[in-house]
Amino acid sequence: MFNIRIGFGEQEVTLAILPTIQKYYLVIYFGGIIGAVRMDPDGELWEQVPDEDIIPGDLPLYQPDLEADRLDIVLCEDTVFHIGEEITAVLRES
């Protein structure tokens, strides 16, 4: 497991990334899974893993808390791209 930081709106968030044996990376925010990303079959673009294909294991799904002092992050195409770029950078360094 490793952490990455990405810009989200005008702020930055720290996400935990957990590689899986299913060849995707779980994206964890405040202890819950917000989704997963993987490289597409061509190995060129990062894509979001469909929720029904995610095996969460012992981790809970992320539950947004509108009263908490944190950003309410969601995975979208742009966010998935930035997460993938950060994962690529970490993998390149190791």
Side-chain angles (χ1 to χ4, degrees):
M1 183 183 298
F2 55 92
N3 291 333
I4 62 169
R5 292 184 63 82
I6 63 164
F8 190 74
E10 295 180 6
Q11 300 191 21
E12 275 193 343
V13 295
T14 299
L15 303 170
I17 305 298
L18 179 63
T20 69
I21 60 172
Q22 291 83 15
K23 307 265 191 240
Y24 59 73
Y25 296 85
L26 292 175
V27 180
I28 303 165
Y29 184 58
F30 278 90
I33 299 169
I34 61 170
V37 298
R38 65 180 169 213
M39 189 62 75
D40 71 4
D42 295 331
E44 295 180 11
L45 297 172
W46 286 91
E47 63 184 8
Q48 185 173 352
V49 175
D51 289 345
E52 59 270 10
D53 292 347
I54 296 173
I55 301 170
D58 295 336
L59 293 169
L61 297 178
Y62 174 72
Q63 298 295 321
D65 183 354
L66 299 178
E67 295 181 17
D69 188 25
R70 61 180 175 235
L71 293 175
D72 191 22
I73 187 170
V74 293
L75 290 185
C76 64
E77 189 174 323
D78 190 51
T79 304
V80 167
F81 171 78
H82 289 295
I83 290 170
E85 290 296 305
E86 288 299 316
I87 291 172
T88 299
V90 168
L91 295 177
R92 225 179 266 139
E93 292 174 5
S94 55

